[in-house]
Amino acid sequence: SRAFRDHGSNPKLVLLCTTVSGGGLLAYGEAVGASEAAVMEKKKVVVLGTGWAGTSFLKNLNNPRYEVHVVSPRNYFAFTPLLPSVTCGTVEARSIVEPVRNIFRKQKMDVQFSEAECLKIDAANRKVYCRSNINSNTNEKEEFVVDYDYLIIAVGANVNTFNTPGVTENCHFLKEVEDAQKIRRTVIDCFERASLPSVSEEEKKRILHFAIVGGGPTGVEFAASLHDFVTEDLVKIYPGIKDLVKITLLEAGDHILSMFDKRITAFAEEKFGRDGIDVKTGSMVVKVSEKEISTKEMKNGGAITTIPYGMAVWSTGIGTRPFIKDFMSQIGQTNRRAIATDEWLRVEATNNVYALGDCATINQRKVMEDIAAIFKKADKDNSGTLTVKEFQEVLDDICERYPQVELYLKSNQMHDLADLLKESIGDVEKESIELNIEELKSALSKVDSQMKFLPATAQVASQQGTYLAKCFNRMEECEKNPEGPIRFRGEGRHRFKPFRYKHLGQFAPLGGEQTAAQLPGDWVSIGHSSQWLWYSVYASKQVSWRTRALVVSDWTRRFIFGRDSSQI
Ligand code: FAD
């Protein structure tokens, strides 16, 4: 019964065969046969994952030419930016999830959903092997195989523990809705345990020590939410132990929120200091046991320190899912953190597999090689020189082909590229500039190491999903009339314009109704007004009116009655 059942063969086809063999029903069979043939012509699109990338792809796909099969272990979409609010009961878990079937229902398309996880991708035979999430009567989980014409991989990422001993066993993660619910229950548990009369003062202190590992946006937001929960709600109902509570944020680097503007980092560190949140930078966690965290203190010559704790939350970044690692080794992409795609989100070394969201990354090295070759090609007479105008045209071509280079050029670091290019090819202000291909390549490889990958955010994932759906919607049209740039390798143009990421800014909620916002154009705003901007952006970004109404009503409830501290 555990044998894989091949869902690739359409059950309707079997019905058609028996009808045809039924003699008298032949005419009916032929009629059905014609329509079935049309159905069979549909291309099978298999989508793995119903997170930001998968859902935005599905929401925007509207070409009836596709027969879509969605495979995901969760039958809902979760609005992850509000997960930290769920950990403290500011928002209820149900308010931030939307059943995916509600989302497909609105599509005029043939969409099938299987609540299952993908175990293996067989790229050579275009099949995915899946296991249902639901236990059967015999407590076995059904396994099945789905075949595809196009595969969309949008499975997100794992938590990265960096193989630190004891993390998986002793730390909480904050990745899924269940994680947030578990954290909420554990926080209340700690307060209840510390209130028991038999517990010593020392033990109470340990139990009420909340350690957060990782000073990125998630760790910082969780620390701020927990601080609000404790100071605004829990101190009122646990007055006897309120002075024993401690929150520590451990960060291996020199600063928290290092990906934000320096003004935001400084404000956050200063605010946390005022709030009594102990921010320990240069503190790398090397081991977590049941009651203690061991850290290597970088500022103290690498000395090992141990900190007793009651609850630890691990939030240090993302890693690769095992079946994705296996798929990457099948297609020769070992030693990478994420699946490398081209600018059209197509997985390198495949024709019909696309990867988007946290599990994928655009291959920067290939981009850099191409750029070097574009320069070489522009040097038509092989003279080793380009005019300023030619140089400008080359840059325009590069930016059209590789939007993330343009993004990089526009960002602060872009001056580095300009400087490096100037360094290697001479003064761009001159009418004619020296172009030394070898020097240029070495300059570009320096840029390669500096150029940031697209961040692993919901913003990127959802824009990629929308982009890819639009490509799929216009596949036939663009095959006839390609609209992309001229192919660098091969003839003609690319079918589509490459994916272009539009950065809309980022938030870092810091607690006490204050948020830091870094908006496009390096515009920074910190304080209560940004908190209201945060409320309005997150309310507007909800996937449905139902979740929007629930989230807004949770916020209102919290304002009026405070957060709920019951164990449910
Ligand atoms: P996910 O959204 O993680 O979705 C992955 C999907 O794949 C899920 O449906 C999962 O069930 C499914 N899946 C997993 N394994 C399998 C399998 N084997 N087979 C099939 N399906 C599978 N980003 C922002 O831009 N702004 C924020 O404020 C922000 N806040 C965040 C707060 C938290 C606490 C967290 C954890 C993340 C936050 N992010 C934020 C990041 C953002 O959530 C991710 O970048 C985004 O979810 C990536 O989307 P995705 O579709 O690639 O992956």
Side-chain angles (χ1 to χ4, degrees), residues 47-55 71-74 76-84 116-119 154-157 174-176 217-218 221 315 318 321 323 356-360 455-462 505-507 509 534 538:
V47 181
L48 303 179
T50 52
W52 280 96
T55 306
V71 177
S72 176
R74 1 181 264 222
Y76 56 83
F77 163 81
F79 192 89
T80 47
L82 288 182
L83 279 180
E117 66 175 318
C118 172
L119 300 177
V155 294
L174 182 48
K175 195 87 186 60
E176 306 286 341
T218 303
E221 188 177 350
S315 169
I318 53 175
R321 295 193 189 280
F323 85 99
L356 48 161
D358 283 2
C359 65
T457 62
Q459 233 183 103
V460 171
S462 107
Q506 52 190 346
F507 288 109
W534 183 89
Y538 282 1

Side-chain angles (χ1 to χ4, degrees), residues 171-172 206-214 222-223 226 246-250 278 285 293 307-315:
C171 291
H172 286 264
R206 184 191 66 77
I207 293 171
L208 292 175
H209 183 197
F210 300 94
I212 297 136
V213 187
F222 172 65
L226 182 62
K246 188 173 174 199
I247 301 173
T248 302
L249 183 58
L250 298 160
D278 188 9
V285 174
I293 294 180
I307 314 167
Y309 75 95
M311 185 184 104
V313 174
W314 186 270
S315 169

Side-chain angles (χ1 to χ4, degrees), residues 427-557:
D427 184 359
V428 288
E429 301 302 324
K430 280 190 207 156
E431 213 14 62
S432 178
I433 51 174
E434 289 291 311
L435 172 70
N436 180 323
I437 300 292
E438 286 315 309
E439 277 180 24
L440 180 68
K441 274 189 188 164
S442 91
L444 287 168
S445 70
K446 279 189 223 163
V447 174
D448 177 25
S449 61
Q450 289 171 21
M451 193 151 90
K452 295 231 163 41
F453 292 107
L454 283 180
T457 62
Q459 233 183 103
V460 171
S462 107
Q463 287 182 27
Q464 289 184 329
T466 309
Y467 163 82
L468 196 61
K470 285 184 180 161
C471 292
F472 270 67
N473 289 341
R474 301 170 62 242
M475 188 83 86
E476 294 130 326
E477 203 182 315
C478 290
E479 245 146 40
K480 283 185 212 131
N481 302 310
E483 59 181 24
I486 293 168
R487 278 180 199 275
F488 189 61
R489 300 184 175 87
E491 295 294 301
R493 288 181 167 275
H494 282 278
R495 281 176 302 182
F496 310 109
K497 289 188 177 143
F499 167 68
R500 190 172 286 264
Y501 170 59
K502 194 162 185 278
H503 186 59
L504 301 172
Q506 52 190 346
F507 288 109
L510 301 172
E513 295 297 309
Q514 296 197 52
T515 284
Q518 187 172 336
L519 301 169
D522 271 344
W523 192 73
V524 168
S525 160
I526 308 172
H528 298 285
S529 54
S530 310
Q531 178 72 33
W532 286 100
L533 184 64
W534 183 89
Y535 280 130
S536 32
V537 168
Y538 282 1
S540 71
K541 292 280 172 200
Q542 293 301 315
V543 278
S544 71
W545 280 100
R546 188 188 68 84
T547 55
R548 191 166 296 128
L550 289 173
V551 164
V552 173
S553 81
D554 284 351
W555 286 334
T556 316
R557 169 187 50 74

